Amino acid sequence: MIINPIRHLRRRKRLQSEAEEEAAYLRRRFGADAHGAALEKLQRSDLTSWGRQVVAEAARRLEQS
């Protein structure tokens, strides 16, 4: 399968921006326990595959900060 590099780049940038928004939301709502809340949210079965990727990226960002 050939992947269009421009599409891939746009998708990655969109993932990063949505993950940053999600991380900011979790920080505002849960404060110091934001990383734990993100990990809890990952366990939900009603997340779409895109939503799961966004929350996983947000959890990674929260873990680093």
Side-chain angles (χ1 to χ4, degrees):
M1 181 170 124
I2 298 174
I3 298 174
N4 182 345
I6 306 244
R7 182 176 175 200
H8 184 24
L9 177 66
R10 285 185 186 144
R11 184 177 168 90
R12 182 70 188 152
K13 284 187 178 191
R14 181 175 162 220
L15 175 66
Q16 289 174 344
S17 72
E18 286 188 23
E20 188 57 44
E21 289 173 14
E22 182 72 19
Y25 165 75
L26 290 170
R27 277 189 211 106
R28 279 194 314 272
R29 183 152 185 225
F30 296 101
D33 194 35
H35 182 257
L39 294 178
E40 240 177 71
K41 194 170 184 179
L42 273 174
Q43 301 303 317
R44 291 176 38 184
S45 63
D46 63 338
L47 283 177
T48 61
S49 60
W50 178 255
R52 191 171 308 284
Q53 287 179 35
V54 169
V55 174
E57 180 71 18
R60 189 182 65 76
R61 289 172 181 260
L62 289 167
E63 184 179 31
Q64 290 176 349
S65 63

CSV table of all heavy atoms in Angstrom, one decimal:
chain,number,residue,atom,x,y,z
A,1,MET,N,0.8,-1.2,0.0
A,1,MET,CA,0.0,0.0,0.0
A,1,MET,C,0.9,1.2,0.0
A,1,MET,O,1.8,1.4,0.8
A,1,MET,CB,-0.9,0.0,1.2
A,1,MET,CG,-1.8,1.1,1.3
A,1,MET,SD,-3.0,0.8,2.7
A,1,MET,CE,-2.7,2.3,3.6
A,2,ILE,N,0.6,2.1,-0.9
A,2,ILE,CA,1.4,3.4,-1.0
A,2,ILE,C,0.7,4.4,-0.1
A,2,ILE,O,-0.5,4.7,-0.2
A,2,ILE,CB,1.5,3.9,-2.5
A,2,ILE,CG1,2.2,2.8,-3.3
A,2,ILE,CG2,2.1,5.2,-2.5
A,2,ILE,CD1,2.2,3.1,-4.8
A,3,ILE,N,1.5,5.1,0.7
A,3,ILE,CA,0.9,6.1,1.6
A,3,ILE,C,1.3,7.5,1.0
A,3,ILE,O,2.5,7.8,0.7
A,3,ILE,CB,1.5,6.0,3.0
A,3,ILE,CG1,1.0,4.6,3.6
A,3,ILE,CG2,1.0,7.1,3.9
A,3,ILE,CD1,1.6,4.3,4.9
A,4,ASN,N,0.3,8.4,0.9
A,4,ASN,CA,0.6,9.7,0.4
A,4,ASN,C,1.3,10.5,1.6
A,4,ASN,O,0.7,10.6,2.6
A,4,ASN,CB,-0.8,10.4,0.1
A,4,ASN,CG,-0.6,11.8,-0.5
A,4,ASN,OD1,0.4,12.4,-0.3
A,4,ASN,ND2,-1.7,12.3,-1.1
A,5,PRO,N,2.5,10.9,1.3
A,5,PRO,CA,3.2,11.6,2.4
A,5,PRO,C,2.6,12.9,2.9
A,5,PRO,O,2.6,13.2,4.1
A,5,PRO,CB,4.6,11.9,1.8
A,5,PRO,CG,4.5,11.7,0.4
A,5,PRO,CD,3.3,10.9,0.1
A,6,ILE,N,1.9,13.6,2.1
A,6,ILE,CA,1.3,14.9,2.5
A,6,ILE,C,0.1,14.5,3.4
A,6,ILE,O,-0.1,15.2,4.4
A,6,ILE,CB,0.8,15.7,1.3
A,6,ILE,CG1,2.0,15.9,0.4
A,6,ILE,CG2,0.1,16.9,1.7
A,6,ILE,CD1,2.5,17.2,0.1
A,7,ARG,N,-0.7,13.5,3.0
A,7,ARG,CA,-1.8,13.1,3.8
A,7,ARG,C,-1.4,12.6,5.2
A,7,ARG,O,-2.0,12.9,6.2
A,7,ARG,CB,-2.6,12.0,3.1
A,7,ARG,CG,-3.8,11.6,3.8
A,7,ARG,CD,-4.5,10.5,2.9
A,7,ARG,NE,-5.7,10.0,3.7
A,7,ARG,CZ,-6.3,8.9,3.4
A,7,ARG,NH1,-5.9,8.2,2.4
A,7,ARG,NH2,-7.3,8.5,4.1
A,8,HIS,N,-0.3,11.9,5.1
A,8,HIS,CA,0.3,11.3,6.4
A,8,HIS,C,0.7,12.5,7.3
A,8,HIS,O,0.5,12.4,8.5
A,8,HIS,CB,1.4,10.4,6.1
A,8,HIS,CG,2.0,9.7,7.2
A,8,HIS,ND1,1.4,9.5,8.4
A,8,HIS,CD2,3.3,9.2,7.4
A,8,HIS,CE1,2.2,8.9,9.3
A,8,HIS,NE2,3.4,8.7,8.7
A,9,LEU,N,1.4,13.5,6.8
A,9,LEU,CA,1.9,14.6,7.5
A,9,LEU,C,0.7,15.4,8.1
A,9,LEU,O,0.7,15.7,9.3
A,9,LEU,CB,2.7,15.5,6.6
A,9,LEU,CG,3.2,16.8,7.3
A,9,LEU,CD1,4.2,16.5,8.4
A,9,LEU,CD2,3.8,17.7,6.3
A,10,ARG,N,-0.3,15.6,7.3
A,10,ARG,CA,-1.5,16.4,7.8
A,10,ARG,C,-2.2,15.6,8.9
A,10,ARG,O,-2.7,16.2,9.9
A,10,ARG,CB,-2.5,16.6,6.7
A,10,ARG,CG,-2.0,17.7,5.8
A,10,ARG,CD,-3.1,18.0,4.7
A,10,ARG,NE,-2.6,19.0,3.8
A,10,ARG,CZ,-2.9,19.0,2.5
A,10,ARG,NH1,-3.7,18.1,2.0
A,10,ARG,NH2,-2.4,19.9,1.7
A,11,ARG,N,-2.3,14.3,8.7
A,11,ARG,CA,-2.9,13.4,9.8
A,11,ARG,C,-2.2,13.5,11.1
A,11,ARG,O,-2.7,13.6,12.2
A,11,ARG,CB,-3.1,12.0,9.2
A,11,ARG,CG,-3.8,11.1,10.2
A,11,ARG,CD,-3.9,9.7,9.5
A,11,ARG,NE,-4.3,8.7,10.4
A,11,ARG,CZ,-5.6,8.4,10.6
A,11,ARG,NH1,-6.6,9.0,10.0
A,11,ARG,NH2,-5.9,7.4,11.5
A,12,ARG,N,-0.8,13.4,11.0
A,12,ARG,CA,0.0,13.4,12.2
A,12,ARG,C,-0.1,14.8,12.9
A,12,ARG,O,-0.2,14.8,14.1
A,12,ARG,CB,1.5,13.2,11.8
A,12,ARG,CG,2.4,13.2,12.9
A,12,ARG,CD,2.2,11.9,13.8
A,12,ARG,NE,3.0,12.0,14.9
A,12,ARG,CZ,2.7,11.5,16.1
A,12,ARG,NH1,1.7,10.7,16.2
A,12,ARG,NH2,3.5,11.6,17.1
A,13,LYS,N,-0.1,15.9,12.1
A,13,LYS,CA,-0.3,17.2,12.7
A,13,LYS,C,-1.6,17.4,13.4
A,13,LYS,O,-1.7,17.9,14.4
A,13,LYS,CB,-0.1,18.3,11.7
A,13,LYS,CG,1.4,18.5,11.3
A,13,LYS,CD,1.6,19.7,10.4
A,13,LYS,CE,3.0,19.8,10.1
A,13,LYS,NZ,3.3,21.1,9.5
A,14,ARG,N,-2.7,16.8,12.7
A,14,ARG,CA,-4.0,16.9,13.3
A,14,ARG,C,-4.1,16.1,14.6
A,14,ARG,O,-4.6,16.5,15.6
A,14,ARG,CB,-5.0,16.3,12.3
A,14,ARG,CG,-6.4,16.4,12.8
A,14,ARG,CD,-7.4,16.0,11.8
A,14,ARG,NE,-8.7,15.6,12.4
A,14,ARG,CZ,-9.5,14.6,12.1
A,14,ARG,NH1,-9.1,13.9,11.1
A,14,ARG,NH2,-10.6,14.4,12.7
A,15,LEU,N,-3.4,14.9,14.6
A,15,LEU,CA,-3.4,14.1,15.8
A,15,LEU,C,-2.7,14.8,16.9
A,15,LEU,O,-3.1,14.8,18.1
A,15,LEU,CB,-2.6,12.8,15.5
A,15,LEU,CG,-2.4,11.9,16.7
A,15,LEU,CD1,-3.7,11.3,17.3
A,15,LEU,CD2,-1.5,10.7,16.3
A,16,GLN,N,-1.6,15.5,16.6
A,16,GLN,CA,-0.8,16.2,17.6
A,16,GLN,C,-1.6,17.4,18.2
A,16,GLN,O,-1.6,17.6,19.4
A,16,GLN,CB,0.5,16.7,17.1
A,16,GLN,CG,1.5,15.6,16.8
A,16,GLN,CD,2.8,16.0,16.1
A,16,GLN,OE1,2.8,17.1,15.6
A,16,GLN,NE2,3.8,15.2,16.2
A,17,SER,N,-2.3,18.1,17.3
A,17,SER,CA,-3.1,19.3,17.8
A,17,SER,C,-4.2,18.8,18.7
A,17,SER,O,-4.5,19.4,19.7
A,17,SER,CB,-3.5,20.2,16.7
A,17,SER,OG,-4.5,19.6,15.9
A,18,GLU,N,-4.9,17.8,18.2
A,18,GLU,CA,-6.1,17.3,19.0
A,18,GLU,C,-5.6,16.7,20.3
A,18,GLU,O,-6.3,16.8,21.4
A,18,GLU,CB,-6.9,16.2,18.2
A,18,GLU,CG,-7.7,16.9,17.1
A,18,GLU,CD,-8.7,15.9,16.5
A,18,GLU,OE1,-9.0,14.8,17.1
A,18,GLU,OE2,-9.1,16.1,15.3
A,19,ALA,N,-4.5,16.0,20.3
A,19,ALA,CA,-3.9,15.5,21.6
A,19,ALA,C,-3.5,16.6,22.6
A,19,ALA,O,-3.7,16.5,23.8
A,19,ALA,CB,-2.7,14.6,21.3
A,20,GLU,N,-3.0,17.7,22.0
A,20,GLU,CA,-2.6,18.8,22.9
A,20,GLU,C,-3.9,19.4,23.5
A,20,GLU,O,-3.9,19.8,24.7
A,20,GLU,CB,-1.9,19.9,22.1
A,20,GLU,CG,-1.3,21.0,22.9
A,20,GLU,CD,-0.4,20.5,24.1
A,20,GLU,OE1,0.5,19.6,23.8
A,20,GLU,OE2,-0.5,21.0,25.2
A,21,GLU,N,-5.0,19.5,22.7
A,21,GLU,CA,-6.2,20.1,23.2
A,21,GLU,C,-6.8,19.1,24.3
A,21,GLU,O,-7.3,19.6,25.3
A,21,GLU,CB,-7.2,20.2,22.1
A,21,GLU,CG,-6.9,21.3,21.1
A,21,GLU,CD,-7.9,21.3,19.9
A,21,GLU,OE1,-8.9,20.7,20.0
A,21,GLU,OE2,-7.6,22.0,19.0
A,22,GLU,N,-6.7,17.8,24.1
A,22,GLU,CA,-7.2,16.8,25.0
A,22,GLU,C,-6.4,16.9,26.3
A,22,GLU,O,-6.9,16.8,27.4
A,22,GLU,CB,-7.2,15.4,24.4
A,22,GLU,CG,-7.7,14.4,25.3
A,22,GLU,CD,-9.2,14.3,25.5
A,22,GLU,OE1,-9.9,15.0,24.6
A,22,GLU,OE2,-9.7,13.8,26.5
A,23,ALA,N,-5.1,17.0,26.2
A,23,ALA,CA,-4.2,17.1,27.4
A,23,ALA,C,-4.5,18.4,28.2
A,23,ALA,O,-4.6,18.3,29.4
A,23,ALA,CB,-2.8,17.1,26.9
A,24,ALA,N,-4.8,19.5,27.5
A,24,ALA,CA,-5.1,20.7,28.2
A,24,ALA,C,-6.4,20.6,28.9
A,24,ALA,O,-6.6,21.0,30.0
A,24,ALA,CB,-5.1,21.9,27.2
A,25,TYR,N,-7.4,19.9,28.3
A,25,TYR,CA,-8.7,19.7,28.9
A,25,TYR,C,-8.5,18.9,30.2
A,25,TYR,O,-9.1,19.2,31.2
A,25,TYR,CB,-9.6,19.1,27.9
A,25,TYR,CG,-10.9,18.5,28.5
A,25,TYR,CD1,-11.9,19.3,29.0
A,25,TYR,CD2,-11.0,17.1,28.7
A,25,TYR,CE1,-13.0,18.7,29.6
A,25,TYR,CE2,-12.1,16.5,29.3
A,25,TYR,CZ,-13.1,17.3,29.8
A,25,TYR,OH,-14.2,16.8,30.4
A,26,LEU,N,-7.8,17.8,30.0
A,26,LEU,CA,-7.6,16.9,31.2
A,26,LEU,C,-6.8,17.6,32.3
A,26,LEU,O,-7.1,17.4,33.5
A,26,LEU,CB,-6.8,15.6,30.7
A,26,LEU,CG,-7.6,14.7,29.8
A,26,LEU,CD1,-6.7,13.6,29.3
A,26,LEU,CD2,-8.8,14.1,30.6
A,27,ARG,N,-5.9,18.4,32.0
A,27,ARG,CA,-5.1,19.2,33.0
A,27,ARG,C,-6.1,20.1,33.7
A,27,ARG,O,-6.0,20.3,35.0
A,27,ARG,CB,-4.0,20.0,32.4
A,27,ARG,CG,-2.7,19.2,32.2
A,27,ARG,CD,-1.6,20.2,31.7
A,27,ARG,NE,-0.7,19.4,30.9
A,27,ARG,CZ,-0.6,19.6,29.6
A,27,ARG,NH1,-1.3,20.5,29.0
A,27,ARG,NH2,0.3,18.9,28.9
A,28,ARG,N,-7.0,20.8,33.0
A,28,ARG,CA,-7.9,21.7,33.6
A,28,ARG,C,-8.9,21.0,34.5
A,28,ARG,O,-9.2,21.4,35.6
A,28,ARG,CB,-8.7,22.5,32.5
A,28,ARG,CG,-8.0,23.7,31.9
A,28,ARG,CD,-9.0,24.5,31.1
A,28,ARG,NE,-9.9,23.8,30.3
A,28,ARG,CZ,-9.7,23.5,29.0
A,28,ARG,NH1,-8.5,23.8,28.5
A,28,ARG,NH2,-10.6,22.9,28.3
A,29,ARG,N,-9.3,19.9,34.0
A,29,ARG,CA,-10.4,19.1,34.8
A,29,ARG,C,-9.9,18.3,35.9
A,29,ARG,O,-10.5,18.3,37.0
A,29,ARG,CB,-11.1,18.2,33.8
A,29,ARG,CG,-12.3,17.5,34.4
A,29,ARG,CD,-13.4,17.1,33.5
A,29,ARG,NE,-14.5,16.5,34.3
A,29,ARG,CZ,-15.1,15.5,33.9
A,29,ARG,NH1,-14.8,14.9,32.8
A,29,ARG,NH2,-16.0,15.0,34.6
A,30,PHE,N,-8.7,17.7,35.8
A,30,PHE,CA,-8.2,16.7,36.8
A,30,PHE,C,-7.0,17.2,37.5
A,30,PHE,O,-6.5,16.6,38.5
A,30,PHE,CB,-8.0,15.4,36.2
A,30,PHE,CG,-9.2,14.7,35.7
A,30,PHE,CD1,-9.5,14.7,34.3
A,30,PHE,CD2,-10.1,14.1,36.5
A,30,PHE,CE1,-10.7,14.2,33.8
A,30,PHE,CE2,-11.3,13.5,36.1
A,30,PHE,CZ,-11.6,13.5,34.7
A,31,GLY,N,-6.3,18.3,37.0
A,31,GLY,CA,-5.1,18.8,37.7
A,31,GLY,C,-4.0,17.8,37.7
A,31,GLY,O,-3.6,17.3,36.6
A,32,ALA,N,-3.5,17.5,38.8
A,32,ALA,CA,-2.3,16.6,39.0
A,32,ALA,C,-2.6,15.2,38.5
A,32,ALA,O,-1.6,14.5,38.2
A,32,ALA,CB,-1.7,16.7,40.4
A,33,ASP,N,-3.8,14.8,38.6
A,33,ASP,CA,-4.2,13.4,38.2
A,33,ASP,C,-4.6,13.3,36.8
A,33,ASP,O,-5.3,12.3,36.4
A,33,ASP,CB,-5.3,12.9,39.2
A,33,ASP,CG,-5.5,11.4,39.1
A,33,ASP,OD1,-4.4,10.7,38.9
A,33,ASP,OD2,-6.6,10.9,39.2
A,34,ALA,N,-4.2,14.2,35.9
A,34,ALA,CA,-4.6,14.2,34.5
A,34,ALA,C,-4.1,12.9,33.8
A,34,ALA,O,-4.8,12.4,33.0
A,34,ALA,CB,-4.1,15.4,33.8
A,35,HIS,N,-2.9,12.5,34.1
A,35,HIS,CA,-2.3,11.3,33.4
A,35,HIS,C,-3.1,10.1,33.7
A,35,HIS,O,-3.5,9.3,32.9
A,35,HIS,CB,-0.8,11.1,33.7
A,35,HIS,CG,-0.2,10.0,33.0
A,35,HIS,ND1,0.0,8.8,33.7
A,35,HIS,CD2,0.2,9.8,31.8
A,35,HIS,CE1,0.5,7.9,32.8
A,35,HIS,NE2,0.7,8.5,31.6
A,36,GLY,N,-3.5,9.9,35.0
A,36,GLY,CA,-4.3,8.8,35.4
A,36,GLY,C,-5.7,8.8,34.8
A,36,GLY,O,-6.2,7.8,34.4
A,37,ALA,N,-6.2,10.0,34.7
A,37,ALA,CA,-7.5,10.2,34.0
A,37,ALA,C,-7.5,9.8,32.5
A,37,ALA,O,-8.4,9.2,32.0
A,37,ALA,CB,-8.0,11.6,34.2
A,38,ALA,N,-6.4,10.1,31.9
A,38,ALA,CA,-6.2,9.8,30.5
A,38,ALA,C,-6.1,8.3,30.3
A,38,ALA,O,-6.7,7.7,29.4
A,38,ALA,CB,-4.9,10.4,29.9
A,39,LEU,N,-5.3,7.6,31.2
A,39,LEU,CA,-5.2,6.2,31.2
A,39,LEU,C,-6.6,5.5,31.4
A,39,LEU,O,-6.9,4.5,30.8
A,39,LEU,CB,-4.2,5.7,32.2
A,39,LEU,CG,-2.7,6.1,31.9
A,39,LEU,CD1,-1.8,5.6,33.0
A,39,LEU,CD2,-2.3,5.7,30.5
A,40,GLU,N,-7.3,6.1,32.3
A,40,GLU,CA,-8.7,5.6,32.6
A,40,GLU,C,-9.6,5.7,31.4
A,40,GLU,O,-10.3,4.8,31.0
A,40,GLU,CB,-9.3,6.3,33.8
A,40,GLU,CG,-9.7,5.5,35.0
A,40,GLU,CD,-10.2,6.4,36.1
A,40,GLU,OE1,-11.4,6.9,35.9
A,40,GLU,OE2,-9.5,6.5,37.1
A,41,LYS,N,-9.4,6.8,30.7
A,41,LYS,CA,-10.3,7.1,29.5
A,41,LYS,C,-9.9,6.1,28.4
A,41,LYS,O,-10.8,5.7,27.6
A,41,LYS,CB,-10.1,8.5,29.1
A,41,LYS,CG,-11.1,9.0,28.1
A,41,LYS,CD,-10.9,10.5,27.8
A,41,LYS,CE,-12.0,11.0,26.9
A,41,LYS,NZ,-12.0,12.4,26.7
A,42,LEU,N,-8.6,5.7,28.3
A,42,LEU,CA,-8.2,4.7,27.3
A,42,LEU,C,-8.9,3.4,27.5
A,42,LEU,O,-9.1,2.6,26.5
A,42,LEU,CB,-6.7,4.5,27.4
A,42,LEU,CG,-5.9,5.5,26.6
A,42,LEU,CD1,-4.4,5.2,26.8
A,42,LEU,CD2,-6.2,5.4,25.1
A,43,GLN,N,-9.4,3.1,28.7
A,43,GLN,CA,-10.0,1.8,29.0
A,43,GLN,C,-11.4,1.7,28.5
A,43,GLN,O,-12.0,0.7,28.5
A,43,GLN,CB,-10.0,1.5,30.5
A,43,GLN,CG,-8.6,1.4,31.1
A,43,GLN,CD,-7.7,0.4,30.4
A,43,GLN,OE1,-8.1,-0.7,30.1
A,43,GLN,NE2,-6.4,0.8,30.1
A,44,ARG,N,-12.0,2.9,28.2
A,44,ARG,CA,-13.4,2.9,27.7
A,44,ARG,C,-13.6,2.2,26.4
A,44,ARG,O,-12.8,2.3,25.5
A,44,ARG,CB,-13.9,4.4,27.6
A,44,ARG,CG,-14.0,5.1,28.9
A,44,ARG,CD,-14.3,6.5,28.8
A,44,ARG,NE,-15.3,6.8,27.8
A,44,ARG,CZ,-15.7,8.1,27.4
A,44,ARG,NH1,-15.2,9.1,28.1
A,44,ARG,NH2,-16.6,8.3,26.5
A,45,SER,N,-14.7,1.5,26.3
A,45,SER,CA,-15.0,0.7,25.1
A,45,SER,C,-15.7,1.5,24.0
A,45,SER,O,-15.7,1.1,22.9
A,45,SER,CB,-15.8,-0.5,25.5
A,45,SER,OG,-17.1,-0.1,26.0
A,46,ASP,N,-16.2,2.7,24.4
A,46,ASP,CA,-16.9,3.5,23.4
A,46,ASP,C,-16.1,4.5,22.6
A,46,ASP,O,-16.6,5.2,21.8
A,46,ASP,CB,-18.1,4.2,24.1
A,46,ASP,CG,-17.6,5.3,25.1
A,46,ASP,OD1,-16.5,5.1,25.6
A,46,ASP,OD2,-18.4,6.2,25.4
A,47,LEU,N,-14.7,4.4,22.8
A,47,LEU,CA,-13.9,5.3,22.0
A,47,LEU,C,-13.7,4.7,20.6
A,47,LEU,O,-13.5,3.5,20.4
A,47,LEU,CB,-12.5,5.4,22.7
A,47,LEU,CG,-12.4,6.3,23.9
A,47,LEU,CD1,-10.9,6.2,24.4
A,47,LEU,CD2,-12.7,7.7,23.5
A,48,THR,N,-13.6,5.6,19.6
A,48,THR,CA,-13.3,5.2,18.3
A,48,THR,C,-11.8,5.0,18.2
A,48,THR,O,-11.1,5.4,19.1
A,48,THR,CB,-13.7,6.3,17.2
A,48,THR,OG1,-13.0,7.5,17.5
A,48,THR,CG2,-15.2,6.6,17.3
A,49,SER,N,-11.4,4.4,17.1
A,49,SER,CA,-9.9,4.2,16.9
A,49,SER,C,-9.2,5.5,16.9
A,49,SER,O,-8.1,5.7,17.4
A,49,SER,CB,-9.6,3.4,15.7
A,49,SER,OG,-10.1,4.0,14.5
A,50,TRP,N,-9.8,6.5,16.2
A,50,TRP,CA,-9.1,7.9,16.2
A,50,TRP,C,-9.1,8.5,17.6
A,50,TRP,O,-8.1,9.0,18.1
A,50,TRP,CB,-9.9,8.8,15.3
A,50,TRP,CG,-9.3,10.2,15.2
A,50,TRP,CD1,-9.8,11.3,15.8
A,50,TRP,CD2,-8.0,10.6,14.6
A,50,TRP,NE1,-8.9,12.4,15.6
A,50,TRP,CE2,-7.9,11.9,14.9
A,50,TRP,CE3,-7.1,9.9,13.9
A,50,TRP,CZ2,-6.7,12.6,14.4
A,50,TRP,CZ3,-6.0,10.6,13.5
A,50,TRP,CH2,-5.8,11.9,13.7
A,51,GLY,N,-10.2,8.4,18.3
A,51,GLY,CA,-10.3,8.9,19.7
A,51,GLY,C,-9.3,8.2,20.6
A,51,GLY,O,-8.6,8.8,21.5
A,52,ARG,N,-9.1,6.9,20.4
A,52,ARG,CA,-8.1,6.1,21.2
A,52,ARG,C,-6.7,6.6,20.9
A,52,ARG,O,-5.9,6.8,21.8
A,52,ARG,CB,-8.2,4.7,20.9
A,52,ARG,CG,-7.5,3.8,21.8
A,52,ARG,CD,-7.8,2.3,21.6
A,52,ARG,NE,-9.2,2.0,21.6
A,52,ARG,CZ,-10.0,1.9,22.7
A,52,ARG,NH1,-9.4,2.1,23.9
A,52,ARG,NH2,-11.2,1.6,22.6
A,53,GLN,N,-6.4,6.9,19.6
A,53,GLN,CA,-5.1,7.5,19.3
A,53,GLN,C,-4.8,8.8,19.9
A,53,GLN,O,-3.7,9.1,20.4
A,53,GLN,CB,-4.9,7.6,17.8
A,53,GLN,CG,-4.8,6.3,17.0
A,53,GLN,CD,-4.7,6.5,15.5
A,53,GLN,OE1,-4.1,7.4,15.1
A,53,GLN,NE2,-5.3,5.6,14.8
A,54,VAL,N,-5.9,9.7,19.9
A,54,VAL,CA,-5.7,11.0,20.4
A,54,VAL,C,-5.5,10.9,21.9
A,54,VAL,O,-4.6,11.6,22.5
A,54,VAL,CB,-7.0,11.9,20.1
A,54,VAL,CG1,-7.0,13.1,20.9
A,54,VAL,CG2,-7.1,12.2,18.7
A,55,VAL,N,-6.3,10.1,22.6
A,55,VAL,CA,-6.1,10.0,24.1
A,55,VAL,C,-4.8,9.4,24.4
A,55,VAL,O,-4.1,9.8,25.4
A,55,VAL,CB,-7.3,9.2,24.7
A,55,VAL,CG1,-7.1,9.0,26.2
A,55,VAL,CG2,-8.6,10.0,24.5
A,56,ALA,N,-4.3,8.4,23.7
A,56,ALA,CA,-3.0,7.8,23.9
A,56,ALA,C,-1.9,8.8,23.7
A,56,ALA,O,-1.0,8.9,24.6
A,56,ALA,CB,-2.8,6.6,23.0
A,57,GLU,N,-2.0,9.6,22.7
A,57,GLU,CA,-1.0,10.7,22.5
A,57,GLU,C,-1.1,11.7,23.6
A,57,GLU,O,0.0,12.2,24.1
A,57,GLU,CB,-1.2,11.3,21.1
A,57,GLU,CG,-0.2,12.4,20.8
A,57,GLU,CD,1.2,12.0,20.5
A,57,GLU,OE1,1.4,10.8,20.2
A,57,GLU,OE2,2.1,12.8,20.6
A,58,ALA,N,-2.3,12.1,24.1
A,58,ALA,CA,-2.4,13.0,25.2
A,58,ALA,C,-1.8,12.4,26.5
A,58,ALA,O,-1.2,13.1,27.2
A,58,ALA,CB,-3.9,13.3,25.4
A,59,ALA,N,-2.0,11.1,26.7
A,59,ALA,CA,-1.5,10.5,27.9
A,59,ALA,C,0.1,10.5,27.8
A,59,ALA,O,0.7,10.7,28.8
A,59,ALA,CB,-2.0,9.1,28.0
A,60,ARG,N,0.6,10.3,26.6
A,60,ARG,CA,2.1,10.3,26.5
A,60,ARG,C,2.6,11.7,26.8
A,60,ARG,O,3.6,11.9,27.5
A,60,ARG,CB,2.4,9.9,25.0
A,60,ARG,CG,3.9,9.7,24.8
A,60,ARG,CD,4.3,9.4,23.4
A,60,ARG,NE,4.0,10.4,22.5
A,60,ARG,CZ,4.7,11.6,22.3
A,60,ARG,NH1,5.8,11.7,23.1
A,60,ARG,NH2,4.4,12.5,21.4
A,61,ARG,N,1.9,12.7,26.3
A,61,ARG,CA,2.3,14.1,26.5
A,61,ARG,C,2.2,14.5,28.0
A,61,ARG,O,3.0,15.2,28.6
A,61,ARG,CB,1.5,15.1,25.7
A,61,ARG,CG,1.8,15.1,24.3
A,61,ARG,CD,0.8,15.9,23.5
A,61,ARG,NE,1.1,15.8,22.1
A,61,ARG,CZ,1.7,16.8,21.4
A,61,ARG,NH1,2.1,17.9,22.1
A,61,ARG,NH2,2.0,16.7,20.2
A,62,LEU,N,1.1,14.0,28.7
A,62,LEU,CA,0.9,14.3,30.1
A,62,LEU,C,2.0,13.6,30.9
A,62,LEU,O,2.4,14.1,32.0
A,62,LEU,CB,-0.4,13.8,30.6
A,62,LEU,CG,-1.6,14.7,30.1
A,62,LEU,CD1,-2.9,14.0,30.3
A,62,LEU,CD2,-1.5,16.1,30.7
A,63,GLU,N,2.4,12.4,30.5
A,63,GLU,CA,3.4,11.6,31.2
A,63,GLU,C,4.8,12.4,31.2
A,63,GLU,O,5.5,12.4,32.1
A,63,GLU,CB,3.6,10.2,30.6
A,63,GLU,CG,4.6,9.4,31.3
A,63,GLU,CD,4.6,8.0,30.7
A,63,GLU,OE1,4.5,7.9,29.5
A,63,GLU,OE2,4.9,7.0,31.5
A,64,GLN,N,5.1,13.0,30.0
A,64,GLN,CA,6.3,13.7,29.8
A,64,GLN,C,6.4,15.0,30.6
A,64,GLN,O,7.4,15.4,31.1
A,64,GLN,CB,6.6,14.0,28.4
A,64,GLN,CG,6.9,12.8,27.5
A,64,GLN,CD,7.0,13.1,26.1
A,64,GLN,OE1,6.7,14.2,25.6
A,64,GLN,NE2,7.5,12.2,25.3
A,65,SER,N,5.2,15.6,30.8
A,65,SER,CA,5.2,16.9,31.6
A,65,SER,C,5.1,16.7,33.1
A,65,SER,O,4.9,15.7,33.6
A,65,SER,CB,4.1,17.8,31.1
A,65,SER,OG,2.8,17.2,31.3
